[in-house]
Amino acid sequence: MASDVTIPALGESVTEATVGQWLKNVGDAVAADEPIVSLETDKVAVEVPAPMAGVLVEQLVKVGETVAVGAVIARIGEGGAAVKPAPAPPKAEATPPAPAAAPPPEAPKPEAPKAEPAAADDMLSPAVRRLVEQYHLDPASIAAGGKDGRITKEDVLAAIEAGTAKTIIAPPPAQGSDSPQASGGGQPPRTEERVRMTRLRQTIARRLKEAQNTAAMLTTFNDVDMSAVIEARNRYKDAFEKKHGVRLGLMSFFVKACVQALKDVPSVNAAIEGEEIVYRRYADIGIAVSSPGGLVVPILKNADQRSFADTEKAIADFGRRARDGQLKIEELQGGTFTISNGGVFGSLMSTPILNPPQSGVLGMHRVEDRPVVRDGAIVVRPMMYLALSYDHRLIDGKEAVTFLVAVKNAIEDPARLLIDL
């Protein structure tokens, strides 16, 4: 008896997905709850598990096809082994005897060296595939430590660290009359590569363009002296990590500062819905993190009720699971305000784009020593540029500047975060 594999519910407002990769081929044995296909949604990659143990007998959709929630995409039959029925041997009487003088047929040349990389490549999970493609690695050179000979993310990282993973180098161009070497030109070949956009990248592009087309977006800037925060972090980081098991970073200070500023300027935490303004009396802060598929914004729910330790643990967990492709769809939905830290990539200044329907986004940037004037003297301080992009339909310039100055004051004097100033 066969069992249908259907597209599960993917979260609120997500009605369809694209087949990104089949993790099992027709004829392969599968265990119950073992991932057999990876789907790409507008937000994250999702692996669909097998509903029962057996053999994958049919794939009903191809890679790249879009399927709706509830659609049947494969069938699993009963059985415990990966079998593709072998042809029955011919009957002896139907086979004429070979001439005595005829030489034995030449054995086919082994194709194992070529087949192994492909087989290994077919067994890669989305998270492992992204690592392999990012570092241009040959999967066949990585020792597999996972179930059924599958390569895990830990296997890839261990191979990279040990230097045993081989990189894939593009083959040299054919030495024909048109090749640069044959013509003596010495110029490298001009090549192009076309790669289909993932659903995540398509969604990012669409939403960013919608934000530009819909909101009256404006950005205001300020700079902040990071001396006090850096001093506090250096003073307490060891005790903080020992007590809470997580490192004390800069992001938790900015989350706390933004939460306080949102209380002072509630319009930055509001949203326009039709002809109404919705003021949120809570703070769900989106934290922009980088993933192999692009920038994603998991939501730090109830940030106004979290401690520094809770905030740091949640942010560290978001970053780790974003890299591994394990964020859940519900963790990417909602949000009242967003913080994006381009400084981790070396950005000095930028104008972040709103994440609709939010009305504000704070852009952090790199910290660098710059000369500033303090008490009439030129001194060197660790400075950071801050950028607040906001929807001018809802937020006036005065409110935007007031919000940004409130964040600046809290960062330059962290004691304000403790006494709610």
Side-chain angles (χ1 to χ4, degrees):
M1 178 179 179
S3 177
D4 291 342
V5 180
T6 60
I7 302 297
L10 300 173
E12 182 183 355
S13 77
V14 180
T15 59
E16 61 182 18
T18 299
V19 177
Q21 176 191 4
W22 282 102
L23 306 178
K24 291 289 186 179
N25 296 318
V26 172
D28 288 349
V30 296
D33 297 325
E34 181 181 9
I36 62 172
V37 63
S38 174
L39 305 177
E40 295 177 358
T41 71
D42 292 346
K43 300 179 182 293
V44 292
V46 178
E47 292 183 345
V48 177
M52 59 175 280
V55 175
L56 183 63
V57 296
E58 191 174 6
Q59 294 175 351
L60 302 179
V61 293
K62 298 178 180 179
V63 171
E65 289 188 17
T66 298
V67 288
V69 170
V72 178
I73 59 172
R75 290 191 175 91
I76 295 177
E78 294 181 347
V83 289
K84 291 184 179 180
K91 296 181 180 180
E93 60 271 20
T95 306
E106 183 180 354
K109 295 181 180 180
E111 296 292 336
K114 295 182 180 179
E116 286 179 3
D121 188 64
D122 289 340
M123 297 179 68
L124 301 183
S125 68
V128 172
R129 179 179 295 277
R130 284 191 288 268
L131 268 179
V132 169
E133 293 176 350
Q134 179 181 356
Y135 291 97
H136 307 287
L137 302 179
D138 180 3
S141 68
I142 301 173
K147 183 180 178 181
D148 298 329
R150 294 171 68 91
I151 298 174
T152 66
K153 177 174 174 286
E154 289 72 20
D155 296 333
V156 179
L157 296 176
I160 294 173
E161 183 175 354
T164 57
K166 297 180 181 179
T167 57
I168 298 176
I169 303 176
Q175 297 293 323
S177 58
D178 295 334
S179 68
Q181 290 81 358
S183 62
Q187 295 293 326
R190 289 163 55 87
T191 61
E192 293 182 349
E193 181 182 8
R194 292 179 181 268
V195 180
R196 178 180 171 273
M197 291 177 68
T198 64
R199 285 184 66 93
L200 175 59
R201 177 53 57 186
Q202 293 178 43
T203 301
I204 291 173
R206 186 185 71 251
R207 286 178 61 82
L208 293 182
K209 191 57 183 175
E210 286 176 355
Q212 288 183 320
N213 293 340
T214 303
M217 198 156 51
L218 189 62
T219 305
T220 185
F221 300 90
N222 214 319
D223 60 359
V224 57
D225 187 342
M226 298 292 292
S227 301
V229 164
I230 292 175
E231 181 183 355
R233 180 175 178 268
N234 291 338
R235 182 185 304 172
Y236 298 113
K237 63 179 181 180
D238 293 336
F240 186 89
E241 185 171 3
K242 182 178 180 180
K243 179 176 181 179
H244 300 291
V246 65
R247 296 172 60 185
L248 177 61
L250 299 179
M251 184 62 80
S252 56
F253 287 93
F254 278 92
V255 170
K256 287 291 185 182
C258 286
V259 165
Q260 249 177 227
L262 291 173
K263 294 178 182 178
D264 296 338
V265 190
S267 59
V268 181
N269 202 42
I272 295 177
E273 292 186 6
E275 296 182 352
E276 296 180 334
I277 300 175
V278 180
Y279 290 95
R280 277 77 69 97
R281 306 304 182 191
Y282 55 91
D284 289 348
I285 306 296
I287 306 294
V289 295
S290 180
S291 74
L295 195 70
V296 294
V297 188
I299 307 301
L300 186 66
K301 297 290 181 66
N302 299 316
D304 51 324
Q305 301 175 24
R306 292 177 180 262
S307 66
F308 274 81
D310 289 341
T311 300
E312 289 291 355
K313 289 177 182 178
I315 293 173
D317 181 57
F318 285 156
R320 180 174 59 255
R321 290 193 290 123
R323 290 190 298 270
D324 295 343
Q326 296 178 348
L327 287 174
K328 300 177 181 178
I329 291 179
E330 56 267 24
E331 294 175 314
L332 303 172
Q333 295 174 333
T336 62
F337 184 80
T338 292
I339 302 175
S340 179
N341 186 6
V344 297
F345 306 109
S347 172
L348 176 65
M349 187 180 294
S350 66
T351 56
I353 299 179
L354 293 174
N355 183 22
Q358 298 173 20
S359 300
V361 53
L362 180 74
M364 298 167 55
H365 302 90
R366 74 171 185 250
V367 180
E368 65 175 7
D369 289 340
R370 291 201 298 269
V372 294
V373 178
R374 295 289 184 267
D375 300 324
I378 298 177
V379 295
V380 176
R381 291 286 187 268
M383 304 296 293
M384 176 195 288
Y385 286 116
L386 297 179
L388 176 70
S389 291
Y390 59 97
D391 190 345
H392 211 343
R393 298 177 302 165
L394 175 60
I395 303 167
D396 294 331
K398 177 184 176 181
E399 294 173 308
V401 173
T402 300
F403 175 90
L404 200 54
V405 169
V407 173
K408 171 185 171 71
N409 290 339
I411 296 299
E412 292 185 341
D413 184 7
R416 289 173 171 265
L417 301 176
L418 302 177
I419 57 178
D420 198 19
L421 279 181

